[in-house]
Amino acid sequence: MRRMLAVLLVLLAFGLAQTRVVLGVGGKTAMVYLPLTVVERLGYFKDEGLDVVIQDLGAGARALQALIGGSVEVVMGFYDHTIQMQAQGRDIVAFVQVGRYPAIVLGVRSDLADQIRTVADLKGRRVGVTAPGSSTHFFLNYLLVKNGLKPTDVSVIGVSVGAQAVAAVQNKQVEAISNVEPAITLLEERGLLKVLADTRSTKGTREVLGGEYPAAVLYTTRAWLDKNPETAQKLVNAMVRGLKWMQGKTPEEVAAVLPEEYFLGDRALYLKVLKNSLESFSPNGRFSDTAPLRPLTVLSAFDPNVARARIDLKRTYTNAFVDRALKTVK
């Protein structure tokens, strides 16, 4: 009798598991978040019985604020926000890693390349980031401090991603930019940008940040994760399936599942961006034991809240859902 009751309770809990999820993303067309669109377009969320409502919030800082404010339940954003939030007493947990490199680039307008030769030359300049408080802003702050400046030595302007970021440089609204693909390659191909720091590749990330650096992840509040473990598992199953699908695919095969607007009017150039970016994605969704130390080091360099806090990195991420997904997802 007890066994039957236990089975009934499990079945009841399964039946009541949340199926609709409101997910915020800090710039859906940004290359760093590409696996989210791949999973959505291939129908993997639906295969898990989920109705995932994706809200494109244009920048990581805005997606984080939406989570804190309760208008979204889960975020596709950068891992470093979980550390930043722990320093502020908020329990935010990443539960699948999508990007193993930040793929963020700091560059200056080509017409100013003779004046701004190094990061130190940015003093007093206007620098575009996706949004103040986003990971592109953190990257800029770290490089400023690393090169003897303070974050306040530059004027930071939010320029979002994609076409908006390109326009900000093209129209000379900013003199430098910290941003992600596809904007960076578009600017380079048009002769509008000279790169100062580049984390799109293994080599570049090692040179700038010292090695693998968890970037794009799914994160949420611990309260939501504890309340909705089955829903979280289904989200992870879909994401791991998408990451595995991407392994070994050509840029053409990946592009074939994307909406036309992602190409910003230049499919050939987007294929080039894809070719240069595919290695930045995680092959399986797992966090390594050591990589989370790098975001902590970066944030501690310029954020006094993080520097003085006693951060327990083990509380900022979990591999539990990914490990279960890897046993079943083909």
Side-chain angles (χ1 to χ4, degrees):
M1 186 68 180
R2 285 183 180 179
R3 186 176 178 183
M4 286 180 64
L5 182 60
V7 171
L8 284 171
L9 288 172
V10 169
L11 290 173
L12 180 61
F14 183 80
L16 294 176
Q18 181 179 338
T19 57
R20 185 178 186 271
V21 181
V22 182
L23 188 154
V25 58
K28 191 165 182 272
T29 61
M31 184 62 66
V32 288
Y33 302 133
L34 182 70
L36 176 64
T37 300
V38 168
V39 169
E40 177 192 30
R41 300 280 288 188
L42 291 175
Y44 292 168
F45 288 134
K46 289 184 178 178
D47 288 350
E48 292 290 332
L50 296 177
D51 174 20
V52 178
V53 180
I54 298 175
Q55 293 187 5
D56 188 353
L57 299 165
R62 290 195 282 270
L64 174 62
Q65 287 305 315
L67 179 70
I68 293 170
S71 59
V72 304
E73 297 162 293
V74 176
V75 167
M76 170 68 78
F78 267 41
Y79 165 72
D80 45 22
H81 288 298
T82 68
I83 297 174
Q84 179 197 41
M85 288 297 97
Q86 189 178 125
Q88 296 178 22
R90 295 183 183 274
D91 210 358
I92 306 294
V93 188
F95 57 104
V96 60
Q97 178 178 285
V98 171
R100 54 181 175 168
Y101 310 129
I104 301 173
V105 172
L106 175 65
V108 301
R109 283 199 342 242
S110 296
D111 61 313
L112 298 173
D114 59 336
Q115 301 173 37
I116 307 173
R117 298 174 184 274
T118 67
V119 175
D121 295 329
L122 288 173
K123 187 171 184 177
R125 301 289 187 166
R126 293 166 296 158
V127 185
V129 299
T130 54
S134 293
S135 296
T136 51
H137 190 185
F138 296 163
F139 183 68
L140 169 65
N141 284 346
Y142 173 69
L143 290 174
L144 291 172
V145 170
K146 190 177 177 182
N147 286 272
L149 298 181
K150 301 186 295 295
T152 53
D153 284 334
V154 302
S155 297
V156 171
I157 299 172
V159 298
S160 194
V161 298
Q164 289 177 263
V166 171
V169 175
Q170 202 160 6
N171 298 333
K172 300 187 177 181
Q173 296 171 331
V174 297
E175 292 150 306
I177 191 169
S178 175
N179 216 281
V180 294
E181 296 287 21
I184 298 301
T185 295
L186 282 166
L187 289 167
E188 286 183 295
E189 289 291 319
R190 294 176 187 177
L192 296 171
L193 196 74
K194 179 192 173 186
V195 171
L196 293 181
D198 190 343
T199 61
R200 288 174 290 184
S201 66
T202 306
K203 180 176 180 291
T205 303
R206 187 178 296 118
E207 289 174 356
V208 178
L209 298 169
E212 188 174 330
Y213 189 108
V217 300
L218 282 185
Y219 67 74
T220 187
T221 63
R222 188 175 301 278
W224 188 90
L225 205 60
D226 289 345
K227 185 179 178 182
N228 301 282
E230 291 178 27
T231 305
Q233 187 64 60
K234 290 176 180 181
L235 285 170
V236 172
N237 290 348
M239 291 307 306
V240 168
R241 187 179 172 191
L243 290 170
K244 283 178 166 287
W245 179 88
M246 290 175 68
Q247 293 300 302
K249 291 290 187 297
T250 65
E252 289 78 10
E253 288 172 315
V254 175
V257 306
L258 302 178
E260 189 67 29
E261 60 264 25
Y262 275 49
F263 308 141
L264 298 177
D266 194 334
R267 187 185 183 91
L269 185 58
Y270 193 86
L271 289 174
K272 183 176 180 179
V273 175
L274 268 174
K275 183 179 179 181
N276 294 335
S277 301
L278 288 177
E279 73 170 301
S280 70
F281 299 114
S282 170
N284 57 20
R286 289 195 96 254
F287 292 88
S288 80
D289 291 332
T290 56
L293 287 167
R294 293 191 182 92
L296 176 59
T297 301
V298 167
L299 290 169
S300 297
F302 64 84
D303 187 332
N305 288 331
V306 175
R308 61 173 169 257
R310 298 184 66 178
I311 303 294
D312 181 359
L313 287 175
K314 290 295 185 182
R315 290 190 64 81
T316 63
Y317 71 95
T318 176
N319 279 320
F321 297 97
V322 173
D323 287 343
R324 282 193 287 270
L326 290 172
K327 293 177 181 177
T328 57
V329 175
K330 302 301 181 185

